[in-house]
Amino acid sequence: MKNALLIIIGLLIIPLQSSLVNSVSLWGVKPDIIFIFVYAIGLTYNEEKAMLMGAGLGLAADIFSGGPLGMNFLSKAATGFAAGALGRRILNMRLRLQILVIFFVTMLEVMLQITLLSVFSKGIMFSVGIKVIFLQALYNSLFTFVFLWPLIKKLKREREWLLSAKESILIR
Amino acid sequence: MSKPRFFYTHKKGILLIIIILIAIILMSPNLQRRPRYYLIERPIVFIISAVQSGITSTKEGISSIWNGYINLVRAQEENKRLKKEIDALKTENSSYKEMVYSFERMQALLSFKEAAPFKTISARIIGKDASNLFKTFTINRGEKDGIKKDMVAISPEGIVGRVVRTSGRSSLVLLSIDRNSEIAAIIQRTRDEGIVEGKGSGLTHLKYIPILSDIKAGDVIITSGLDGIYPKGINIGKVISVKRGDAALFLEIDVMPDTDFARLEEVLVIIN
C-alpha cells in the first residue's frame, strides 16, 4: 500500500516538474523536485528503496526529456543511494551542515549528468554547466530544506524516542 | 555461503551493478535515436501527458482566478463604496482581458497559419523539459494528429524547433536553443551560409561563417532549407555579437532567437 502510494506520488511528480515548477525558474534554472522526493525516500527508508525509486523516476524523466535515455535513470539512482547511505546520519548534523550536504549532493548529481552527457551525447557549454550546477544546487538545498524540514524533525524525534527506549531497556 | 544468502548480504552492490548495466544499455546509440516512443514507454507517456495537460489547464484557470482576485483587492483599496460593482467589473474585465490576449495570440497564429506557404497544425505546449540541461517542449499533438519525427514547429516570430519523438497524443519538440539542435541557416543580407547551433542557454550561435564576411550585429538569420528538415526562409533570429579570433578561420557569432521561448504557449507544426 505504502509502495503503491509512493509510486503514485512519484508519477505525479514528473508532470509537476515539467509544468508547474517552470513557473518558479530563475535564470532558466528550476528546482528538481524529483531529487527532493528521492532524497526524502533515502532519508526515510534505505539505500535500496531510494535507489530503485530514483532509477524509476529518473527513467520516467528521461522519457520526457530531450537528453539521452538513462542519464536521469543513473544519476537519480545514485542520488537515492547517496541519500540512503547518508540516511539518518544527517539527522545528527547541524542545520547549516544539512543544507550544505544537500548542496553538495545536488552538485555531484548535476556533475554526473554533465559527465554522462559529455560521454554519450554532445555535452554542454562550460558556462551553462557551471550556471546549472550552482543555481540548481542552491535552489535544491533551499527547496529540500523548506519541504523536508518537517520530515527531518519527525525522523529526529523518532530517533530520539528510540534511543531513550533503548537506554531504559538497558538500565532495567 | 548459499546463493540466496550471498544475494541478501550483497544486495546493495548487486542492485547498483544492475542499475549501471541497465543505464549502459539505455544509453546505447540505437535507443537514443528512436523516432517514436517504444511500446513499453507509451503507457507512461500517455499517463504523464494526460496529467501534464490537466495541470497546465488547472494552472491557467488558477492564474486567471488569481488575477481576478488581485484586481478585486486593488478595487477594494480604491473605492470601498463601489466595492461590489468594481469587484464584479474588474473580475469580468480581467477574464475579458485574458480572452482578448488569448484571442490576439490565436489571431496572430491563425493569420500566420493562413499566410504561411505550408500546411500547419496548431498545438498547445503542455510541458517543458524536466531537466535544466535540455530545452524541449511537450506538445498536445501526436501521431494521431499526423505528427511525425523531424516535423518543424514554428511560431509567428520564427523557428521554435523540430519534433524528435512522437506518441499517440503528444510529441517532444527539441528547441532551436538546445545544444543538440542544428539548423542550416543563411544571413539574409550577405547570403553567407552557416549552421545555427543552440547554446543550451537562451541563445544560439552561427557557425562556419568565414572571417571575411561583413556580417554585423542586427543582421537577420533565416533558414536556408539545406538541411532537408527546416523549410527555407523562416526567421531564426538576429545577430547580437560578432567576434573575430586572431588565427580563426570562422567568425564567432551569437544569435538571439526571434521566438520568446519563455512566453510561448502555442506553436504551429508544419505537416507537409
Side-chain angles (χ1 to χ4, degrees):
Chain A
M1 181 63 199
K2 226 173 191 177
N3 283 343
L5 191 72
L6 283 179
I7 290 168
I8 291 170
I9 296 173
L11 276 178
L12 276 175
I13 276 176
I14 308 289
L16 275 179
Q17 174 72 28
S18 56
S19 53
L20 219 59
V21 178
N22 287 307
S23 326
V24 289
S25 71
L26 273 181
W27 297 288
V29 178
K30 56 198 170 191
D32 188 351
I33 57 170
I34 306 169
F35 169 92
I36 298 170
F37 184 69
V38 173
Y39 192 85
I41 303 278
L43 273 187
T44 322
Y45 301 100
N46 50 33
E47 289 105 313
E48 293 102 59
K49 201 162 196 172
M51 212 158 41
L52 282 175
M53 190 55 89
L57 288 183
L59 186 61
D62 279 335
I63 291 172
F64 269 85
S65 166
L69 198 65
M71 189 191 78
N72 276 300
F73 173 81
L74 192 60
S75 65
K76 291 286 184 288
T79 301
F81 184 76
L86 283 170
R88 308 286 164 105
R89 253 165 281 178
I90 198 172
L91 300 174
N92 294 332
M93 292 177 183
R94 282 185 184 175
L95 183 67
R96 270 172 291 177
L97 265 178
Q98 287 188 27
I99 296 173
L100 211 64
V101 166
I102 299 162
F103 185 87
F104 281 112
V105 173
T106 308
M107 271 182 77
L108 287 175
E109 197 218 342
V110 184
M111 277 153 92
L112 173 65
Q113 289 181 341
I114 292 173
T115 311
L116 289 172
L117 265 181
S118 320
V119 176
F120 292 98
S121 183
K122 213 175 177 183
I124 59 161
M125 293 188 80
F126 183 72
S127 56
V128 177
I130 294 289
K131 184 183 93 174
V132 174
I133 288 174
F134 279 98
L135 272 180
Q136 195 172 321
L138 267 175
Y139 228 163
N140 269 13
S141 38
L142 181 77
F143 263 69
T144 312
F145 170 67
V146 171
F147 286 107
L148 297 191
W149 184 233
L151 176 77
I152 291 173
K153 263 170 91 177
K154 188 186 155 233
L155 292 175
K156 226 174 182 174
R157 267 201 309 273
E158 272 178 21
R159 187 190 167 90
E160 276 159 12
W161 183 85
L162 270 175
L163 282 175
S164 63
K166 227 180 204 176
E167 263 175 30
S168 63
I169 289 167
L170 280 174
I171 289 165
R172 254 187 253 161
Chain B
M1 197 183 282
S2 66
K3 272 179 188 171
R5 198 160 173 194
F6 174 82
F7 179 80
Y8 187 76
T9 45
H10 296 87
K11 210 161 74 177
K12 280 176 225 163
I14 292 169
L15 199 61
L16 199 65
I17 291 168
I18 291 172
I19 285 175
I20 292 171
L21 285 176
I22 295 174
I24 292 170
I25 296 166
L26 287 174
M27 284 175 178
S28 67
N30 278 346
L31 283 176
Q32 303 302 340
R33 282 195 292 263
R34 67 203 191 286
R36 302 157 90 199
Y37 285 107
Y38 286 128
L39 215 61
I40 197 161
E41 294 174 286
R42 284 180 182 241
I44 304 172
V45 173
F46 177 76
I47 295 168
I48 294 179
S49 298
V51 181
Q52 223 167 23
S53 196
I55 291 173
T56 308
S57 304
T58 315
K59 191 178 120 189
E60 280 168 11
I62 290 171
S63 81
S64 152
I65 292 168
W66 178 248
N67 285 339
Y69 174 72
I70 294 284
N71 287 333
L72 198 124
V73 172
R74 281 182 191 152
Q76 272 179 333
E77 284 165 2
E78 277 169 27
N79 196 331
K80 279 187 180 174
R81 195 173 57 85
L82 294 167
K83 192 180 148 243
K84 275 191 179 172
E85 290 94 318
I86 288 172
D87 289 349
L89 283 170
K90 287 268 180 184
T91 313
E92 217 172 288
N93 191 22
S94 138
S95 63
Y96 283 144
K97 260 185 193 165
E98 187 52 39
M99 276 167 69
V100 168
Y101 290 145
S102 172
F103 176 73
E104 279 172 1
R105 238 173 30 232
M106 292 295 177
Q107 203 179 31
L109 208 62
L110 191 71
S111 55
F112 177 70
K113 188 178 174 177
E114 278 164 3
F118 15 73
K119 206 175 161 198
T120 59
I121 181 170
S122 64
R124 216 167 118 237
I125 295 162
I126 56 167
K128 293 181 181 178
D129 205 293
S131 157
N132 285 312
L133 300 170
F134 311 103
K135 306 286 175 195
T136 59
F137 282 161
T138 307
I139 54 170
N140 68 340
R141 302 280 193 178
E143 286 156 13
K144 286 183 179 150
D145 306 288
I147 305 284
K148 285 180 195 139
K149 190 183 183 260
D150 285 338
M151 281 185 171
V152 175
I154 52 172
S155 74
E157 287 81 36
I159 279 286
V160 174
R162 69 183 166 90
V163 174
V164 285
R165 217 165 293 143
T166 58
S167 76
R169 286 268 175 237
S170 67
S171 305
L172 192 72
V173 176
L174 181 80
L175 306 189
S176 62
I177 50 173
D178 187 278
R179 188 92 169 96
N180 295 306
S181 163
E182 285 183 335
I183 305 170
I186 191 165
I187 302 163
Q188 207 168 38
R189 184 177 58 86
T190 66
R191 310 311 288 176
D192 287 314
E193 282 171 10
I195 288 173
V196 169
E197 188 187 58
K199 287 180 96 172
S201 57
L203 292 178
T204 57
H205 65 138
L206 182 58
K207 299 196 301 187
Y208 310 125
I209 297 297
I211 200 107
L212 295 171
S213 168
D214 75 332
I215 182 172
K216 52 191 176 202
D219 273 343
V220 174
I221 312 294
I222 56 169
T223 52
S224 69
L226 292 176
D227 49 24
I229 294 174
Y230 295 91
K232 191 178 178 178
I234 303 173
N235 267 6
I236 298 175
K238 285 182 191 73
V239 174
I240 53 166
S241 74
V242 181
K243 280 182 205 147
R244 283 163 212 273
D246 288 337
L249 285 172
F250 302 111
L251 295 169
E252 281 176 41
I253 303 160
D254 277 342
V255 177
M256 172 65 84
D258 283 330
T259 307
D260 184 356
F261 294 98
R263 291 173 208 282
L264 207 60
E265 288 174 49
E266 295 94 13
V267 292
L268 290 176
V269 182
I270 301 172
I271 53 170
N272 66 341

